[in-house]
Amino acid sequence: MRKSLIASLAFLLASSTAVLADGASDGKVKIGILNDQSGVYADFGGKSSVEAAKMAVEDFGGKVLGVPVEIVDADHQNKPDIASNIARQWYDTEQVDAIMELTTSSVALAVQAIAKEKKKIDIVTGAATTDLTGKACSPYGFHWAYDTHALAVGTGGALVKQGGDSWFFLTADYAFGYSLEQQTSDFVKANGGKVVGSVRHPLSNQDFSSFLLQAQSSGAKVIGLANAGLDTSNAIKQAAEFGITQGGQHLAALLFTLAEVHGLGLDAAQGLTLTEGYYWNLDDKSREFGKKFFARTGKMPNMIHAGTYSAVLQYLKAIDKAGTDDTDAVAKQLHELPVDDVFGRGGTVGPNGRMIHDMYLLQVKKPADSKEPWDYFNVLATIPGKEAYIDPAKSGCTVTN
């Protein structure tokens, strides 16, 4: 009888282990949203990205494979060391299955390296560098909302075609800024334009006067702002004080979203050309999502918020399709499943982890042309995903999936 009991217990244990392997390994699925919640990019993504993630979980039904889905979040303060410590703690001791958003390229690169080491999923929606799906790519890393190449194709390419054939760059002094400047410069030169100079400024800079004077004296037709968040807003405000646009030079906000336009106001932002992967007033589907988001946050979503919603939703779809939260199985489904939601319409994921989707070339309306609150953009063009993003075969990624 004792031998029979031991055999029965062994069988039950083996059966239980098999079930766990095929389902959720620890009885839940836990997703971490790690981003800037108090600094220069707090409006860019911030707590609103956390709400977008929660919306995705709720719209999926709150559970996957019969277990609850939990969202946790933290502020990385735009510091790779802080972000790395949080990521290791989440992965090692808090049973976090995937980390997402990851505003700031230096942070995203650091966390993606840890995710690769720990064999965990990361999906970047807030950072821009193409290195994430290039030389720093990972079999478990995905880049969702936009990147520097897509921004360069959109804003950079459009302005050169409109006659802005000489450029001077104000560039944020870290990986994102370098990448955005380089790729926009390449598009300017490829279209017959030239770059007459550039200057780098620290992240979270307050005084742009010396940088703007250099740009003004360069005589460039276009001053490319290769920065983001409050840095871009502050540069635009101070450029107005120097009379730069009144003097005939054009400001190109290479990474600027609805959130920053709202903070700056139409009086200051009117006429700016920019590129986003989502606009809430694009069509009925976008407006429906935008209004749901507004009811929770008091603001309309930009491409980071909508992209985070899409990334969380697709991750849950991948787990459901795989029948397990095993990293390799989920990564396989993330590469194979089409993306079709309010953000990624007809999107596909390349072997390097880049989600390929359409982008939109936008121009900020004049105050008189805005018909309702948050009605800020005219859509100038749709940029097909295959034009916006680097061909995965040419991305520099050596990972095969």
Side-chain angles (χ1 to χ4, degrees):
M1 184 176 292
R2 182 179 297 172
K3 289 182 179 179
S4 177
L5 180 60
I6 292 172
S8 297
L9 288 171
F11 174 77
L12 288 171
L13 179 61
S15 299
S16 174
T17 301
V19 170
L20 288 173
D22 289 338
S25 57
D26 53 7
K28 64 178 178 297
V29 169
K30 199 170 183 180
I31 300 168
I33 304 300
L34 183 56
N35 61 6
D36 176 11
Q37 299 181 5
S38 58
V40 66
Y41 300 138
D43 288 336
F44 185 71
K47 283 289 189 179
S48 296
S49 287
V50 179
E51 288 302 312
K54 291 178 179 178
M55 285 176 65
V57 172
E58 292 166 13
D59 287 349
F60 193 78
K63 292 183 177 182
V64 63
L65 304 181
V67 302
V69 181
E70 181 182 353
I71 299 292
V72 296
D73 67 275
D75 183 356
H76 61 47
Q77 301 173 47
N78 295 308
K79 297 178 180 178
D81 56 339
I82 292 176
S84 296
N85 288 337
I86 293 170
R88 289 186 183 280
Q89 180 179 335
W90 276 358
Y91 284 145
D92 290 344
T93 66
E94 297 188 22
Q95 293 78 51
V96 169
D97 298 289
I99 297 178
M100 303 187 192
E101 221 269 39
L102 295 167
T103 307
T104 312
S105 292
S106 54
V107 164
L109 289 166
V111 172
Q112 181 155 292
I114 293 169
K116 183 178 181 180
E117 171 197 332
K118 301 291 184 181
K119 198 177 175 181
K120 296 283 190 177
I121 298 288
D122 74 277
I123 305 180
V124 178
T125 59
T129 179
T130 53
D131 286 350
L132 288 160
T133 50
K135 63 183 180 181
C137 68
S138 161
Y140 312 118
F142 299 85
H143 201 177
W144 218 251
Y146 72 105
D147 63 23
T148 50
H149 187 272
L151 299 176
V153 171
T155 309
L159 287 177
V160 174
K161 291 175 184 177
Q162 293 173 10
D165 56 4
S166 61
W167 285 61
F168 186 98
F169 288 93
L170 266 67
T171 302
D173 193 11
Y174 72 104
F176 152 70
Y178 312 152
S179 181
L180 187 52
E181 178 188 334
Q182 180 61 55
Q183 294 193 32
T184 307
S185 296
D186 290 344
F187 272 93
V188 169
K189 294 172 184 175
N191 285 279
K194 61 182 179 180
V195 176
V196 300
S198 65
V199 64
R200 292 177 176 175
H201 68 79
L203 181 65
S204 302
N205 192 56
Q206 299 298 316
D207 184 4
F208 285 87
S209 57
S210 64
F211 308 125
L212 288 167
L213 285 170
Q214 291 180 60
Q216 190 174 37
S217 64
S218 74
K221 294 180 182 177
V222 180
I223 300 172
L225 303 176
N227 48 22
L230 288 177
D231 282 337
T232 307
S233 297
N234 287 334
I236 293 170
K237 289 177 184 176
Q238 291 172 38
E241 295 171 6
F242 282 100
I244 286 178
T245 55
Q246 293 91 327
Q249 290 175 297
H250 187 95
L251 292 177
L254 297 173
L255 177 51
F256 211 53
T257 75
L258 187 79
E260 289 76 47
V261 171
H262 181 73
L264 193 58
L266 289 183
D267 283 333
Q270 61 182 304
L272 282 172
T273 304
L274 55 99
T275 302
E276 281 212 62
Y278 169 86
Y279 178 39
W280 77 270
N281 210 10
L282 183 68
D283 57 23
D284 289 343
K285 189 175 182 180
S286 296
R287 282 188 282 273
E288 181 183 0
F289 176 77
K291 289 174 182 177
K292 285 176 61 178
F293 185 87
F294 185 87
R296 299 176 70 119
T297 66
K299 64 177 69 173
M300 286 296 184
N302 63 12
M303 65 178 171
I304 313 306
H305 307 136
T308 300
Y309 173 90
S310 173
V312 172
L313 194 64
Q314 194 73 2
Y315 177 64
L316 297 177
K317 289 178 181 178
I319 292 175
D320 188 58
K321 180 71 173 178
T324 176
D325 63 355
D326 172 76
T327 299
D328 283 311
V330 175
K332 182 176 185 295
Q333 292 301 326
L334 282 169
H335 281 100
E336 293 179 357
L337 285 173
V339 183
D340 192 13
D341 54 43
V342 70
F343 177 80
R345 306 180 186 196
T348 59
V349 177
N352 61 344
R354 173 68 258 174
M355 201 271 275
I356 299 168
H357 60 94
D358 293 347
M359 299 288 287
Y360 304 99
L361 181 65
L362 308 167
Q363 187 171 50
V364 180
K365 290 182 173 183
K366 297 177 180 177
D369 294 334
S370 179
K371 295 180 173 58
E372 61 181 307
W374 297 88
D375 174 33
Y376 293 159
F377 296 145
N378 289 313
V379 180
L380 301 181
T382 298
I383 306 162
K386 290 184 178 180
E387 293 180 18
Y389 294 102
I390 298 172
D391 181 345
K394 300 177 181 178
S395 66
C397 176
T398 57
V399 168
T400 55
N401 295 287

